[in-house]
Amino acid sequence: MSSFRFLLSRRWVGFTVFVLILAYGTWWLGQWQFDRLEDRKASNQIVRTNEHAEPVPVSDVLAPGEEVADEDEWRRVTATGTYAVDDTIIWRYRTPDEAKGVDIVVPLVLADGTAVLVDRGWLQTTSQNEFVDLPSPPSGEVTITGWVRADGTGDSTDVAQVDGYHATRALSSTQVAEVVDKELLTGWLHLDTESPSPATELRKADLPELDNGPHFFYGLQWWFFGVLAVAGFFYLMYDERRTQRLDVPATPDDDPSGDEAPDERSRKKAAKLAQKQAVKAAYQAAYEKEKTKQS
């Protein structure tokens, strides 16, 4: 264990703490991605169930002052009433397929006097501040089916006046209720069908994609980075120990036989070298002597 004492140095203690924090961080981020994957799977299952269920009356799902339940997102409902065209809301900066335009939202006043916001669809426009020739919804009593959506949140739900219309960047029935003289059901509807049909059809909203997203692969990537960090730490630790062993001077324990000191080995090597030199000198002398005799 003495060869690992370098781990107690300030440099290695700091490096160890850094790797531990990095490994924990990558593990947490990977687990977070897998948790998001499970949430998405659960949400997708709710949407699949609701998309194919028979529509129910809107009053069975939405009510004033009650938030939309998670299990009711994208549930199909039906409603009958009259559109309040004068309270039309322009939902700005809507860009399906990267095309610029707006969604046209109109309150549908129900028989009991309450109203529900209906996103009737998307209209391509050249400006986000001037709106002309907006297609009108069907007049008189209208029966619709649509998908339930929860209110948006944040500052983007604020409602302003733009070109004579109420306008917003994210739809919230709570915010719209402050500028229209009607009691609104909480939440809103993505329009599916209208009866009677309007003179001009708007582009209906796309249903959500029900894939699992990139969360699984993101989770694997984070865990791979953590494993890589730990493996790199142990490799650097091994390399440090190996380097230190190469720098340590030879000791009696380093001798394979284990029974000779370094001085004894050096003496024997010197003696063998001297013997070789003596034999070489003797051969050289004999050769010179024989050469003299022949001459």
Side-chain angles (χ1 to χ4, degrees), residues 283-295:
Y283 276 112
Q284 185 65 28
Y287 173 75
E288 293 293 339
K289 184 177 179 180
E290 185 65 26
K291 184 178 180 182
T292 302
K293 287 180 178 180
Q294 291 179 357
S295 59

Side-chain angles (χ1 to χ4, degrees), residues 40-222:
R40 182 151 184 167
K41 287 181 177 179
S43 176
N44 287 347
Q45 185 56 46
I46 291 174
V47 173
R48 288 190 186 96
T49 301
N50 289 341
E51 280 183 355
H52 301 290
E54 289 296 320
V56 298
V58 66
S59 57
D60 290 354
V61 181
L62 302 182
E66 296 183 10
E67 293 186 2
V68 177
D70 291 341
E71 59 270 19
D72 288 330
E73 274 276 15
W74 293 99
R75 188 169 182 181
R76 294 186 71 215
V77 297
T78 183
T80 299
T82 305
Y83 280 119
V85 180
D86 292 340
D87 290 323
T88 295
I89 299 98
I90 304 299
W91 188 351
R92 300 194 293 167
Y93 303 106
R94 304 290 285 170
T95 56
D97 302 328
E98 299 184 358
K100 296 180 180 179
V102 298
D103 277 19
I104 300 177
V105 181
V106 186
L108 182 70
V109 182
L110 309 178
D112 61 1
T114 60
V116 59
L117 295 179
V118 180
D119 181 357
R120 298 190 57 249
W122 179 82
L123 176 70
Q124 187 169 10
T125 60
T126 57
S127 171
Q128 296 293 317
N129 298 308
E130 296 180 2
F131 313 106
V132 294
D133 298 329
L134 296 183
S136 299
S139 59
E141 187 175 83
V142 181
T143 298
I144 70 166
T145 59
W147 287 281
V148 170
R149 301 302 312 278
D151 284 342
T153 59
D155 295 338
S156 58
T157 60
D158 293 342
V159 180
Q161 285 291 318
V162 179
D163 196 30
Y165 292 96
H166 303 304
T168 184
R169 290 179 290 125
L171 190 58
S172 167
S173 60
T174 302
Q175 294 294 327
V176 173
E178 295 181 2
V179 298
V180 299
D181 187 22
K182 293 176 178 60
E183 184 181 19
L184 296 179
L185 305 183
T186 302
W188 50 279
L189 304 180
H190 262 314
L191 181 66
D192 182 19
T193 64
E194 286 176 315
S195 179
S197 299
T200 303
E201 291 277 356
L202 298 172
R203 173 175 172 174
K204 300 297 191 299
D206 296 327
L207 295 179
E209 295 184 4
L210 299 180
D211 56 37
N212 291 330
H215 304 300
F216 177 78
F217 295 103
Y218 284 169
L220 287 183
Q221 285 179 357
W222 281 118

